[in-house]
Amino acid sequence: MTDLSHIRNFSIVAHIDHGKSTLADRLIQLTGTVAERDMSAQLLDAMDIERERGITIKANTVRIEYQALNGEQYTLNLIDTPGHVDFAYEVSRSMRAVEGSLLVVDSTQGVEAQTLANVYQAIDAGHEIVPVLNKIDLPASEPEQVCAQIEDVIGIDASDAIMVSAKTGIGIPDVLEAIVHRLPAPKGDRDAPLKAMLVDSYYDAYLGVVVLVRIVDGVLKKGDRIRMINTKATYPVDRIGVFRPQMEMIDELGPGEIGFLTASIKQVADTAVGDTITHEKRPCAKPLPGFAPSQPVVFCGLFPVDNAEFEDLRDAISKLRLNDASFSTEMETSAALGFGFRCGFLGLLHLEVIRDRLEREYDIDLITTAPSVIYQVHMRDGSILEMHNPADMPDPTHIDHIEEPRIKATIMVPDEYLGDVLKLCQDRRGVQMDLTYAGSRAMVVYDLPLNEVVFDFYDRLKSVTKGYASFDYQMHGYREDALVKMQILVNDEPVDALSTMVHRDRADARGRGMVEKLKELIPQHMFKIPIQAAIGGRIIARETISALRKDVTAKCYGGDATRKRKLLDKQKAGKKKMRQFGKVEIPQQAFINALKLDS
């Protein structure tokens, strides 16, 4: 049983690549939590895709035992959080389970957009924040300027920020001492009825659902019967344990502690994140406030390249959903692509991660349709429809107007690239809301349509600023605009997967770009193929792929010209018939590349 005053719960927050996971590695290594021979870089990033991309996707926890310089023994519960805007939801719920945060800032880069977003979440959760300046071993490190920037931009005192190099281990003992002396201990009553917060859950093939919990009051023991207040389900507890990153079984969890339980729960959907867990016989009086559920913002269709693999795809998606309840799916069919699923994601990176995992872990070749957002279609009869897929758009004569989702984007950029960033945002129909300076860097706030951002905004932003800009966004409501549905017709057949919603003023340029790109991507067939972009019944752009031709007159030497004419006419008739019945094969790569349109 650990004394409450000797427990510290904290998370590590930072922008992407500022060194959160490396700092976690050093803390684990210095306290001897993991034997030297078992240490590896980014120890807490267990998924292959996290290691390959060098990013954190899931928030991970670990319990560390630390003996402070004053000789006292402390238990530290660390949560390593993601830095990407798509996984901000993981960050927000991790914040509620802990009392303090280490704010890691790269001393060569300074405060970035995501640093701001994550630190504000920590401040909202009422955290004590300890600033840590990382990468001080690099020649480009500027600790004094970055401290001033933290005070100017975020508004927290950075006079006693800790200087570290997570890679080489400089300053790590100071971080451990600061955690013990500067972060608050948790509060809780051991004798009160059990009140525990469900922080996260994932599926394990051997144990069923593993539930990560933070005990607020009371004690949770092996063999207890627990009740989930939200779902009203009851379960007997099979195992209780903590992560040191490997699972270690213990007999009980007391107030202020973070650990896991298994209780023969069959699916992750039964464990609502943010739910309150209590004893069945002696429930707590009032549940914890919980979290708002995550809202998908980007939708796209996933179809198997080979229709025979549809059942495999269905199994793979249901297994992935066991571990990631933040993406939603529903069945859909398409004339061009057959059976598939319409899936909702938290952002484009989330979409890529799920797609990569499906292709890699379950060995399925996928076609991904154009990402789209949720539009609100206001009908003439006063009803409002939510449209996830442009192919589902109702008859335009019944529509009064269409509203699209907007975001509030915060972009931090060095002064010399500011002009390029403003031009990019204007080109994407953005409205400037604010422009301030922090040292030599500008912070621009724009109101942008989400539709323009999901395509390739982030890539374009990185390329016009040579990688120096950082970008963060929040949803900002809906607004009416002149939107139309643009269809692509290949050989007079509409291709559902390439339907997109575009702004009326941009439709001609977008349509022309799309058909020109498709002309390069679709291989030649034995008959000519027209590719058209259309809005309603009006064709706005067209390209034609010429037919492959065999030289049928090669064997005619001399003689009458009508002999050659007859063979050519016969070929022409054959091509006409072919075009009527021929099926145009559009390669998978063509779908993906056609949608990556540079503006």
Side-chain angles (χ1 to χ4, degrees):
M1 173 179 151
T2 315
D3 177 14
L4 267 180
S5 63
H6 285 175
I7 298 177
R8 295 290 182 274
N9 299 323
F10 67 99
S11 61
I12 304 182
V13 293
H15 187 74
I16 308 148
D17 285 341
H18 280 203
K20 292 180 294 297
S21 299
T22 311
L23 178 62
D25 287 353
R26 289 297 86 73
L27 295 175
I28 290 168
Q29 193 174 10
L30 191 69
T31 52
T33 305
V34 174
E36 272 305 321
R37 66 171 185 273
D38 296 330
M39 269 310 287
S40 61
Q42 274 74 43
L43 186 72
L44 297 180
D45 292 346
M47 283 196 282
D48 290 346
I49 200 157
E50 288 184 310
R51 291 182 164 281
E52 270 173 38
R53 289 174 175 245
I55 59 175
T56 303
I57 293 168
K58 290 292 287 178
N60 294 299
T61 61
V62 60
R63 177 185 281 209
I64 300 171
E65 300 296 337
Y66 171 61
Q67 186 167 10
L69 295 178
N70 60 11
E72 300 272 356
Q73 189 72 24
Y74 288 89
T75 298
L76 314 180
N77 291 308
L78 171 152
I79 299 188
D80 178 27
T81 59
H84 286 77
V85 63
D86 288 16
F87 307 117
Y89 180 65
E90 288 277 334
V91 180
S92 72
R93 64 186 188 200
S94 308
M95 297 285 177
R96 301 287 177 83
V98 297
E99 287 81 32
S101 289
L102 295 182
L103 170 67
V104 178
V105 182
D106 182 338
S107 61
T108 62
Q109 303 268 340
V111 174
E112 304 266 15
Q114 207 69 42
T115 314
L116 277 177
N118 290 343
V119 80
Y120 287 150
Q121 288 201 14
I123 291 167
D124 286 346
H127 282 195
E128 186 65 41
I129 293 169
V130 174
V132 176
L133 297 194
N134 191 14
K135 309 191 187 182
I136 59 158
D137 56 322
L138 296 181
S141 165
E142 299 173 328
E144 291 81 16
Q145 275 135 303
V146 175
C147 281
Q149 208 180 35
I150 292 174
E151 291 180 354
D152 291 350
V153 180
I154 302 174
I156 57 175
D157 179 22
S159 56
D160 50 1
I162 305 165
M163 307 293 165
V164 305
S165 161
K167 193 172 167 191
T168 60
I170 301 168
I172 302 300
D174 301 344
V175 175
L176 285 163
E177 284 296 304
I179 291 166
V180 168
H181 297 300
R182 287 166 61 180
L183 296 183
K187 296 181 176 64
D189 179 358
R190 195 177 169 83
D191 303 321
L194 175 69
K195 184 191 278 189
M197 181 165 82
L198 198 161
V199 183
D200 199 1
S201 56
Y202 68 89
Y203 185 78
D204 181 290
Y206 299 104
L207 303 172
V209 176
V210 177
V211 178
L212 186 67
V213 290
R214 155 73 202 264
I215 312 289
V216 180
D217 290 323
V219 181
L220 179 66
K221 295 185 176 156
K222 198 170 157 182
D224 287 350
R225 276 198 78 83
I226 53 167
R227 172 188 294 269
M228 309 267 184
I229 289 186
N230 218 346
T231 55
K232 302 198 171 33
T234 62
Y235 303 99
V237 177
D238 304 332
R239 294 179 184 77
I240 290 178
V242 292
F243 291 105
R244 303 179 183 269
Q246 273 61 44
M247 286 182 164
E248 184 179 299
M249 301 306 162
I250 56 173
D251 292 328
E252 62 169 53
L253 282 172
E257 294 192 284
I258 295 175
F260 69 86
L261 66 92
T262 64
S264 318
I265 305 170
K266 299 290 183 291
Q267 26 185 338
V268 170
D270 301 338
T271 56
V273 168
D275 202 347
T276 307
I277 298 174
T278 186
H279 281 136
E280 186 182 21
K281 294 281 191 291
R282 188 182 166 214
C284 58
K286 189 165 126 209
L288 296 159
F291 317 132
S294 63
Q295 292 294 336
V297 292
V298 178
F299 285 81
C300 89
L302 296 177
F303 295 87
V305 171
D306 175 4
N307 274 331
E309 288 188 338
F310 174 70
E311 284 302 322
D312 299 345
L313 177 62
R314 188 205 297 254
D315 288 351
I317 284 182
S318 62
K319 282 179 184 158
L320 259 192
R321 279 205 52 140
L322 285 175
N323 271 344
D324 186 351
S326 58
F327 84 104
S328 57
T329 63
E330 56 182 45
M331 282 240 335
E332 101 170 330
T333 56
S334 145
L337 303 170
F339 287 102
F341 289 90
R342 187 98 198 142
C343 302
F345 303 94
L346 302 178
L348 276 194
L349 179 69
H350 188 209
L351 185 160
E352 279 182 37
V353 165
I354 295 283
R355 190 185 67 206
D356 282 7
R357 286 185 67 185
L358 284 172
E359 291 189 335
R360 180 178 313 180
E361 293 172 25
Y362 302 99
D363 201 22
I364 298 171
D365 289 333
L366 290 174
I367 291 176
T368 318
T369 65
S372 73
V373 297
I374 306 177
Y375 295 95
Q376 290 187 346
V377 183
H378 292 252
M379 308 299 282
R380 296 240 158 116
D381 60 7
S383 61
I384 301 174
L385 296 179
E386 282 204 342
M387 182 175 73
H388 296 184
N389 185 353
D392 303 337
M393 186 162 151
D395 182 356
T397 54
H398 298 160
I399 297 174
D400 183 54
H401 64 273
I402 300 176
E403 293 186 354
E404 63 178 344
R406 310 281 295 193
I407 59 169
K408 181 179 165 193
T410 307
I411 300 167
M412 304 205 56
V413 59
D415 200 22
E416 64 261 38
Y417 304 113
L418 181 61
D420 295 332
V421 171
L422 295 181
K423 182 176 182 307
L424 175 67
C425 293
Q426 296 293 354
D427 288 348
R428 298 296 169 103
R429 316 200 320 264
V431 179
Q432 189 175 324
M433 295 166 74
D434 193 12
L435 173 58
T436 50
Y437 275 87
S440 64
R441 297 177 61 203
M443 183 167 109
V444 199
V445 181
Y446 256 91
D447 175 359
L448 284 159
L450 182 61
N451 182 22
E452 297 281 350
V453 176
V454 296
F455 266 106
D456 55 355
F457 180 80
Y458 192 62
D459 298 347
R460 299 281 302 150
L461 179 69
K462 285 291 186 195
S463 62
V464 299
T465 61
K466 300 194 171 48
Y468 282 112
S470 64
F471 169 67
D472 174 63
Y473 67 84
Q474 300 118 331
M475 299 305 291
H476 194 56
Y478 277 77
R479 182 156 350 123
E480 183 186 342
D481 218 329
L483 298 163
V484 290
K485 171 181 159 187
M486 183 177 79
Q487 279 193 311
I488 300 292
L489 309 172
V490 175
N491 200 16
D492 301 334
E493 293 284 323
V495 182
D496 295 353
L498 297 174
S499 294
T500 50
M501 298 295 292
V502 291
H503 194 270
R504 186 169 277 124
D505 300 347
R506 307 271 167 93
D508 290 16
R510 193 72 171 267
R512 206 171 309 118
M514 203 95 143
V515 295
E516 283 169 6
K517 199 144 193 181
L518 280 170
K519 184 181 178 182
E520 297 162 24
L521 295 167
I522 298 176
Q524 283 185 307
H525 286 52
M526 294 302 291
F527 48 95
K528 73 173 184 203
I529 307 169
I531 304 171
Q532 298 157 313
I535 292 172
R538 185 168 71 90
I539 304 293
I540 54 172
R542 167 175 173 141
E543 289 284 339
T544 306
I545 299 174
S546 56
L548 284 169
R549 296 196 54 163
K550 184 182 172 192
D551 187 359
V552 287
T553 58
K555 60 179 187 283
C556 293
Y557 295 104
D560 193 354
T562 51
R563 287 178 65 206
K564 287 188 179 179
R565 186 76 267 143
K566 189 170 144 192
L567 287 167
L568 287 168
D569 287 345
K570 192 172 167 189
Q571 183 186 35
K572 193 172 167 187
K575 294 229 180 276
K576 193 172 171 188
K577 191 169 179 184
M578 257 191 215
R579 192 186 153 202
Q580 210 173 335
F581 299 109
K583 195 169 182 305
V584 179
E585 291 294 329
I586 305 179
Q588 156 72 4
Q589 206 50 44
F591 279 110
I592 296 168
N593 290 345
L595 301 170
K596 284 187 178 166
L597 259 188
D598 270 349
S599 44

